[in-house]
């Protein structure tokens, strides 16, 4: 059973920082990419940042220069360091991974349960 478990959300004042973590557990053969999405109330889920296995990164324009995504392949873990947070960053943040479980041998998308990030003004 493959799971993505997130941690690190919370309440922070504008200008503050938070670090999110997400670990993929279970019998995993390989992971193509890991990333973070977010969904604010009344809005669609949007991509925040993604990092493939080669370490390249891609960010939404709204977070460039403030957020940093990184990955520890040995631990199947992805991190999102969020600095200079703004009230508009308030959302539920979801971890996403495209990975290949040993049991199916096919790449599939998995999602974490979500972690709330609230930025007060």
């Amino acid at each position: 059973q493959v799971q993505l478990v997130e941690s690190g959300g919370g309440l922070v004042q504008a200008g503050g920082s938070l670090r999110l973590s997400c670990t993929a557990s279970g019998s995993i053969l390989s992971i193509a990419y890991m990333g973070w999405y977010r969904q604010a109330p009344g809005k669609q889920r949007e991509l925040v940042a993604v990092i493939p296995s080669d370490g390249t990164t891609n960010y939404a324009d709204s977070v460039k220069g403030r957020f940093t995504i990184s990955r520890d392949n040995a631990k199947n873990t992805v991190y999102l360091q969020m600095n200079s947070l703004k009230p508009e960053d308030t959302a539920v943040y979801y971890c996403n991974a495209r990975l290949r479980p040993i049991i199916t041998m096919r790449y599939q998308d998995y999602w974490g349960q979500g972690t709330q990030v609230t930025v007060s003004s």
Side-chain angles (χ1 to χ4, degrees), residues 21-67:
S21 300
C22 171
T23 297
S25 63
S27 299
I28 299 168
L29 187 60
S30 60
I31 300 177
Y33 63 77
M34 301 184 80
W36 293 92
Y37 287 71
R38 67 186 181 186
Q39 188 167 18
K43 295 187 176 182
Q44 289 191 331
R45 191 173 297 188
E46 62 175 1
L47 174 69
V48 176
V50 63
I51 182 167
S53 57
D54 64 1
T56 58
T57 56
N58 190 32
Y59 296 93
D61 289 341
S62 59
V63 306
K64 282 181 181 176
R66 301 187 297 122
F67 291 10

Side-chain angles (χ1 to χ4, degrees), residues 1-119:
Q1 183 86 7
V2 174
Q3 283 186 314
L4 300 185
V5 179
E6 301 144 341
S7 62
L11 172 65
V12 65
Q13 288 188 330
S17 299
L18 283 174
R19 188 189 195 212
L20 305 182
S21 300
C22 171
T23 297
S25 63
S27 299
I28 299 168
L29 187 60
S30 60
I31 300 177
Y33 63 77
M34 301 184 80
W36 293 92
Y37 287 71
R38 67 186 181 186
Q39 188 167 18
K43 295 187 176 182
Q44 289 191 331
R45 191 173 297 188
E46 62 175 1
L47 174 69
V48 176
V50 63
I51 182 167
S53 57
D54 64 1
T56 58
T57 56
N58 190 32
Y59 296 93
D61 289 341
S62 59
V63 306
K64 282 181 181 176
R66 301 187 297 122
F67 291 10
T68 301
I69 189 170
S70 60
R71 179 173 168 176
D72 185 335
N73 291 331
K75 296 181 179 179
N76 288 341
T77 298
V78 64
Y79 305 96
L80 185 68
Q81 178 66 44
M82 304 184 293
N83 299 328
S84 302
L85 282 160
K86 304 175 181 180
E88 51 263 44
D89 294 318
T90 295
V92 178
Y93 284 70
Y94 296 92
C95 177
N96 168 255
R98 171 153 289 192
L99 57 86
R100 188 162 50 163
I102 289 176
I103 193 169
T104 64
M105 301 289 285
R106 293 183 292 111
Y107 278 106
Q108 297 169 251
D109 280 331
Y110 286 82
W111 293 89
Q113 78 281 2
T115 184
Q116 177 70 45
V117 171
T118 303
V119 184

